Amino acid sequence: MSAKNLQEATIAIRGGRTLDSHASSILFPLYQTGNFVHDQVGVDKGYSYSRVSNPTVDALEQAIAALEGTASAVCFRTGMAAITTLLFSLLRAGDHAVLSDVVYGGTMRLFREVLDHLGIHGDFVDTSNPASVEAAIRPTTRLILIETPGNPTLKLTDIAAIARIAKAHSILLAVDNTFLTPVLQRPFELGADISILSTTKYIDGHNATVGGSIATHDGQLTERLRLIRKTLGTIQAPFEAWLTLQGIKTLPMRLRLHCAGALRIAQWLEAHPAVQYVFYPGLPSFPQHALAAAQQRGSGGIVAFELKGGAEAARLTLNHLQLCSRAESLGGLETLATHPSTTTHADLDPQLRQALGISDGLIRISVGLEDPEDLIADLAQAIAAADHHPHAQEDKQ
Ligand code: PLP
């Protein structure tokens, strides 16, 4: 049955799946093997070596393609392996890319540490303002890469507006859709050419693997991605692919709960006297609330908030958390809390951090699937403990 006629929950569980021809097991088998035997010289069953392709990785690719609505997808060892392979597939010396200033930090580092030295340059601009994108385009620009919502302040970029600019200049538009996944945001329907996912996050959803995927309707680009993946050795590992195949089945159901829990927590934080500001696209106070409603199918599971007490209050609050884990990453069942200015965004120039709204008092929460009331109780006791801590009292004097 074609995935096109199925509802999202059905696609997540059944989409793109085929029975293994050997034993018809209900779960597609884990082909934990490095290589495959040729029937005769030059005759094989489509597989040769797991750096090139592997049946379990193929199965994951078909499952992701069914969710993305594309004919195929290509899976990678990590989200960064996906982005690296994409950039090496599309760009050569002298080429230029325009990227969101809130794009994942690893992508910025890839330009700074590797691509810039190879003559491939990127400009990181405020893509929430389409005029900044238009102004950054050069005759050598080959790619626009946006991330929306951006990390950690959830700044949104209007995908359709940027797609119009990209089309007018015959430039490819890639969207890093890691925070929302195709369940909550449909980049292709808004005019994008390429969808990037760190499957590490919501696609796996269990904090069990790292991985990445790229989907596109462009068959030639898909083939090029496979060629460069084979060349760089960036393919996903069979076991991670198998685990991710299990996680993806509950993606739509998990995301519904992530969104509901995040909204509940965002509303509670907004009413808390120690909280200066809450960043959550589902709140009417979020400056781009209308864009979120128009372009997204849900507000997602990430909430960020700034404490009035600044850096010390954020540090003490994080240290007093008992249920929420102090950990990077996002998108899993367990609620994680981070301090972006000293972890994920510590590399950034402090002035740029401030310009992006990443203050030292900012805490980001990846709201998991524990009961939201238990999470609120944990946050309440941590904020209260931070407020009563002698250091916090000294700061107030
Ligand atoms: N894109 C986004 C939006 C991310 O948040 C991350 C990781 O945090 C990546 C890409 C990179 O993915 P990975 O950590 O799987 O390499």
Side-chain angles (χ1 to χ4, degrees), residues 76-83 102-107 147-151 176-179 196-201 209-212 328-330 344 364:
F76 300 88
R77 190 65 189 85
T78 62
M80 274 318 298
I83 293 167
V102 289
V103 84
Y104 176 59
T107 305
E147 184 176 320
T148 180
N151 186 25
D176 186 331
N177 199 21
T178 296
F179 272 40
I196 303 168
L197 297 169
S198 164
T199 61
T200 309
K201 313 293 174 356
T209 65
V210 286
E328 293 182 28
S329 199
L330 58 108
T344 47
R364 185 194 77 184

Side-chain angles (χ1 to χ4, degrees), residues 8-15 17 27-28 56 59-60 63-64 67 181 183 197-209 236 238-256 258 331-333 369:
E8 206 139 52
T10 317
I11 295 173
I13 296 169
R14 298 281 189 175
R17 305 308 201 281
L27 300 189
F28 193 85
T56 312
L60 176 62
I64 291 178
L67 272 178
T181 84
V183 170
L197 297 169
S198 164
T199 61
T200 309
K201 313 293 174 356
Y202 290 101
I203 300 288
D204 167 21
H206 292 74
N207 288 321
T209 65
Q236 180 55 296
F239 184 46
E240 325 304 294
W242 189 86
L243 284 172
T244 310
L245 264 171
Q246 313 319 317
I248 202 172
K249 292 177 191 173
T250 52
L251 178 66
M253 307 70 159
R254 283 189 280 110
L255 279 171
R256 262 200 301 281
H258 282 297
L333 302 187
L369 299 192

Side-chain angles (χ1 to χ4, degrees), residues 324-391:
C324 306
S325 303
R326 285 172 294 280
E328 293 182 28
S329 199
L330 58 108
L333 302 187
E334 295 86 4
T335 295
L336 309 181
T338 53
H339 188 223
S341 73
T342 56
T343 58
T344 47
H345 293 72
D347 267 10
L348 285 188
D349 176 66
Q351 270 183 328
L352 178 59
R353 248 197 333 259
Q354 285 301 325
L356 295 176
I358 308 168
S359 69
D360 293 341
L362 191 76
I363 292 176
R364 185 194 77 184
I365 304 182
S366 168
V367 178
L369 299 192
E370 305 94 337
D371 193 295
E373 301 314 314
D374 290 333
L375 297 172
I376 284 173
D378 189 30
L379 286 165
Q381 67 76 25
I383 294 172
D387 205 35
H388 294 118
H389 193 279
H391 286 175

Side-chain angles (χ1 to χ4, degrees), residues 98-105 108 123-129 132-133 145-147 150-153 155-157 345 348 352 355-358:
V98 177
L99 302 98
S100 297
D101 55 3
V102 289
V103 84
Y104 176 59
M108 289 187 175
D123 274 322
F124 296 84
V125 306
D126 178 7
T127 54
S128 73
N129 176 9
S132 321
V133 175
L145 196 166
I146 59 176
E147 184 176 320
N151 186 25
T153 59
K155 184 167 73 170
L156 305 185
T157 291
H345 293 72
L348 285 188
L352 178 59
L356 295 176
I358 308 168

Side-chain angles (χ1 to χ4, degrees), residues 96-98 133-134 136-145 162-174 191 193:
H96 173 254
V98 177
V133 175
E134 184 81 57
I137 290 173
R138 306 178 189 172
T140 53
T141 307
R142 302 277 170 261
L143 176 71
I144 300 173
L145 196 166
I162 305 301
R164 282 193 291 277
I165 294 173
K167 292 256 160 355
H169 293 270
S170 302
I171 298 169
L172 290 174
L173 172 62
D193 303 293

